[in-house]
């Protein structure tokens, strides 16, 4: 997984050994959340809403009404009370990164891609209250297809789901719908092959994910910090930056060798083994200057 960002932010991420989750309202794509919300509403109005209502009320009478009340404020809640970080699927032999990502996220003077091994994305743990999700690229048709699959699963497993307490079922359905709109993007962005790590501090607070104010591209904003190292009580031995970090790719910039030297020193300071072998300079003939 690759996280494309400015050299300045990448340096802070590595020094602090934590990933920054930003508010959904601050994401680069101006249609974030709105596109997914539109797809959800259109899918429900096209007939899937009635099927979902019937399936949920068969499991627990009144469950659909409770969920529908949440849906009414879903977009606002999602936009302002969920935090996420975007990562891009990365082939291990790719030493260049993606030109489109450098242009979009590399910053005006110097961009860096932090390449992480994907092991944490496959661990089924609730310890952090943060969850990874692949992005669905498409519109109402693609969204409806996925929602139909979810409804079928509810219909086929109603006796099992009746054992789930009402409040737990309501929370699970709401979270599923919220994550679905956060993980749906316009098909024009498909080449990004994005995954997202999502955290909702209001509904799924974690003692291991602190919030703080950071200035990103000149804008002070609240962020949530996901640790890249295990801590007492967390019990996540795979959160070890020396194991997680595959490499750092220095993107197109005016002074690539100087930036590479700086990141080698950062990796040495935080105790990363073989720091020289983990730095790659992408020889792309593109220079972005502020």
């Amino acid at each position: 997984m690759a996280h494309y960002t400015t050299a300045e932010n990448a340096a802070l991420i590595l020094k602090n050994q934590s990933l920054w989750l930003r508010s959904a309202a601050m994401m680069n794509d101006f249609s974030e959340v709105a596109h997914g919300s539109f797809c959800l509403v259109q899918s429900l109005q096209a007939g899937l809403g009635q099927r979902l209502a019937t399936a949920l009320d068969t499991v627990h009478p009144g469950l659909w009404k409770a969920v529908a009340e949440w849906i009414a404020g879903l977009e606002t809640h999602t936009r302002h009370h969920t935090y996420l970080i975007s990562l891009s699927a990365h082939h291990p032999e790719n030493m260049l990164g993606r030109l489109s990502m450098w242009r979009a996220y590399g910053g005006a003077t110097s961009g860096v891609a932090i390449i992480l091994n994907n092991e944490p994305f496959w661990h089924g743990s609730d310890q952090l209250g943060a969850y990874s999700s692949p992005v669905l690229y498409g519109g109402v048709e693609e969204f409806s297809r996925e929602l139909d699959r979810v409804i079928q699963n509810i219909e086929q497993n109603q006796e099992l789901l009746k054992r789930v307490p009402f409040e737990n079922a309501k929370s699970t359905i709401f979270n599923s719908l919220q994550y679905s709109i956060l993980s749906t993007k316009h098909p024009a962005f498909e080449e990004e092959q994005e995954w997202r790590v999502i955290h909702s501090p209001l509904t799924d607070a974690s003692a291991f994910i602190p919030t703080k104010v950071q200035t990103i591209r000149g804008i002070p904003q609240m962020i949530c910090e996901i640790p890249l190292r295990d801590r007492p009580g967390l019990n996540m031995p795979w959160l070890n930056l020396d194991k997680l970090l595959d490499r750092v790719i220095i993107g197109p910039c005016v002074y690539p060798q100087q930036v590479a030297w700086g990141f080698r020193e950062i990796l040495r300071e935080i105790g990363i083994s073989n720091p020289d072998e983990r730095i790659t300079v992408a020889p792309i003939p593109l220079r972005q200057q502020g």
Side-chain angles (χ1 to χ4, degrees), residues 3 60 64 106 128 153 176 211 229 232 250 267:
H3 178 53
H60 284 298
W64 168 247
L128 281 175
N153 286 335
S176 297
T211 59
R229 53 186 168 185
I250 309 303
L267 296 188

Side-chain angles (χ1 to χ4, degrees), residues 42-43 61 84 90-91 136 149 178 181 186 243 249 263 265:
Q42 292 298 308
S43 297
L84 54 90
H90 183 85
H91 193 283
L136 171 70
R149 186 181 304 172
Q178 177 175 257
I181 69 173
H186 191 282
K243 296 179 180 178
I249 300 178
F263 276 91
E265 292 306 306

